[in-house]
Amino acid sequence: MDDDTHAGAVLSIDLDALVANWRDVGRAARPAQAGAVVKADAYGLGSVPVTQALADAGCRHFFVAALSEARQIREKVTLASNTAIYILNGLMPGAERACADVGAVPVLNAPDQLARWSALAVELDRRLPAVLQVDTGMSRLGLTPAETEALAAAPEALASLDLRLVISHLACADEPAAAANRAQAAAFDRLTVLFPGVPRALDNSGGALTQKPTHYDIVRPGIALYGGEARQGLANPMRPVVRLDTRIVQLRRIAPGTGVGYGLTFVARRPTCIATIPVGYADGWFRSLSGVGSAFIAGRRVPIAGRVSMDSITLDVTDVPAAHLFPGAPVELLGPHQGIDDVARDAGTISYEILTSLGHRYARIYSGGRSTGLQRRTGA
Ligand SMILES: *Cc1c(COP(=O)(O)O)cnc(C)c1O
């Protein structure tokens, strides 16, 4: 634990909160089954521990973006035999055999992908599992409506495949009232009728948490599992999953008129106490938080003074009682006073980007799930 003890910051990941969030999304989407989106290293929180915790809780449908992510899960996570790993970004040319070897299910997003996956099935003389994505209005991935209709009219193209699921993706699920959601659902209904009996999946977190007539057969939550806000302007019912604690490395008192940090963009207007913490934009604490973001010391907000550097941040701690100010004193970056969506708002982004940018220099402490027994340090 030496590196952990000396780390500049500790990222704590609560796998029990993650699992509870997954169960809540499943309840909201009933009778649909909840899968889990664990792409991008499970939104930065570690795809192996996250996937293991959800698999242990009963999740059987995992969605990643890339083949390499599926491979990592296959190699390191103990999965029940009826568990599927789907690759959302589809089948890159030349990746067919590797995909079959990993035992992942590609999401076929275009006719060429379908043709290549079918050709491999014929060559291997076995039916290969597949997901079909149809584009219902986002114009990103998936067969166009015309391509979908053409496929349904010539279903031999699917004969060598085991079509497990038809999916589409909502462009505006974070705005539950948007008309686009109803239009996409209507298009999804119209296109999936062409594949009778095949299970369907449309909703991400925002869709799964929104009350509506159907969530189809499987939902694909990502951000909600990790505690992020899935729907703009509505209370976020999810539990926080991460906290990030750092410590003061140095304190200095400066006189009025003294500048702080690169560009001297902060200039003290009163006798000021500056605390430096060893976290910067290289750790995912965005430079756009310069002069805008906050940290918390003993529950008190301390503003970022001046620019965020690569490896450090300067805080104006003038109003914090001296008892809380010493080298090594705890500083909360993510926790009860400031969540991932608060930081995202300050940084001008979304919590997805805060999570997927979380740094690699943090010590990571997992609690809950199979990690029970690991010391849970909170810095407090
Ligand atoms: C990322 C992604 C999701 C998960 O979205 P959240 O908003 O994080 O719940 C679901 N489906 C697809 C196709 C995705 O790309």
Side-chain angles (χ1 to χ4, degrees):
M1 297 287 279
D2 256 12
D3 275 356
D4 287 359
T5 312
H6 303 308
V10 176
L11 183 69
S12 306
I13 298 160
D14 182 346
L15 297 174
D16 288 340
L18 166 91
V19 166
N21 287 342
W22 177 73
R23 294 208 169 103
D24 280 356
V25 174
R27 262 189 289 277
R30 266 200 300 234
Q33 267 191 64
V37 179
V38 294
K39 63 193 180 189
D41 200 28
Y43 291 42
L45 301 190
S47 80
V48 171
V50 162
T51 304
Q52 188 67 69
L54 293 170
D56 291 347
C59 184
R60 294 295 176 262
H61 303 275
F62 292 100
F63 296 85
V64 297
L67 177 58
S68 59
E69 297 174 328
R71 183 181 289 117
Q72 193 193 22
I73 289 171
R74 275 275 178 245
E75 286 173 358
K76 305 223 171 102
V77 179
T78 309
L79 297 171
S81 60
N82 60 344
T83 304
I85 306 173
Y86 311 98
I87 300 177
L88 290 167
N89 272 351
L91 199 57
M92 296 294 278
E96 301 79 19
R97 204 167 271 274
C99 187
D101 288 347
V102 165
V105 185
V107 174
L108 303 174
N109 287 314
D112 70 290
Q113 300 181 18
L114 207 154
R116 286 185 278 111
W117 194 234
S118 292
L120 181 65
V122 170
E123 192 186 322
L124 297 176
D125 195 23
R126 66 182 160 101
R127 277 164 61 117
L128 290 174
V131 172
L132 196 65
Q133 175 152 226
V134 297
D135 181 4
T136 54
M138 188 171 176
S139 312
R140 187 175 70 172
L141 294 171
L143 270 66
T144 65
E147 288 166 345
T148 309
E149 283 154 16
L151 175 63
E156 321 74 79
L158 290 169
S160 57
L161 301 181
D162 170 16
L163 188 55
R164 299 268 184 92
L165 197 57
V166 182
I167 75 168
S168 192
H169 193 44
L170 296 170
C172 304
D174 57 334
E175 304 165 48
N181 293 321
R182 291 186 296 280
Q184 283 197 266
F188 192 58
D189 289 339
R190 191 167 51 73
L191 293 170
T192 53
V193 173
L194 304 173
F195 305 94
V198 180
R200 301 183 285 177
L202 178 63
D203 291 337
N204 63 353
S205 299
L209 290 171
T210 298
Q211 267 200 350
K212 50 187 196 159
T214 179
H215 296 282
Y216 301 97
D217 299 293
I218 292 172
V219 294
R220 305 185 306 268
I223 194 69
L225 308 182
Y226 310 110
E229 182 183 292
R231 295 166 304 160
Q232 290 173 24
L234 293 173
N236 179 1
M238 296 296 129
R239 296 159 190 75
V241 171
V242 291
R243 56 174 297 156
L244 179 60
D245 296 283
T246 184
R247 291 179 293 172
I248 294 174
V249 284
Q250 185 168 358
L251 287 153
R252 92 181 324 119
R253 297 195 174 278
I254 57 173
T258 310
V260 175
Y262 285 120
L264 304 175
T265 58
F266 177 92
V267 178
R269 281 198 235 128
R270 54 177 177 165
T272 296
C273 185
I274 296 291
T276 301
I277 55 172
V279 170
Y281 61 76
D283 304 292
W285 221 251
F286 290 16
R287 200 162 174 276
S288 55
L289 291 164
S290 297
V292 185
S294 311
F296 285 79
I297 295 178
R300 244 170 254 258
R301 191 183 99 84
V302 288
I304 292 178
R307 292 213 179 123
V308 173
S309 301
M310 183 187 289
D311 313 301
S312 59
I313 291 173
T314 36
L315 302 167
D316 180 351
V317 298
T318 311
D319 297 328
V320 176
H324 301 295
L325 300 177
F326 52 91
V331 178
E332 171 193 329
L333 285 172
L334 291 171
H337 299 93
Q338 170 165 273
I340 53 178
D341 284 289
D342 299 319
V343 176
R345 267 184 285 276
D346 285 347
T349 183
I350 52 178
S351 55
Y352 299 67
E353 200 179 10
I354 298 297
L355 288 176
T356 56
S357 302
L358 285 170
H360 303 287
R361 294 190 288 206
Y362 302 141
R364 288 176 173 235
I365 307 283
Y366 289 89
S367 63
R370 289 192 180 188
S371 72
T372 302
L374 265 188
Q375 189 190 358
R376 186 169 178 204
R377 287 219 318 268
T378 60

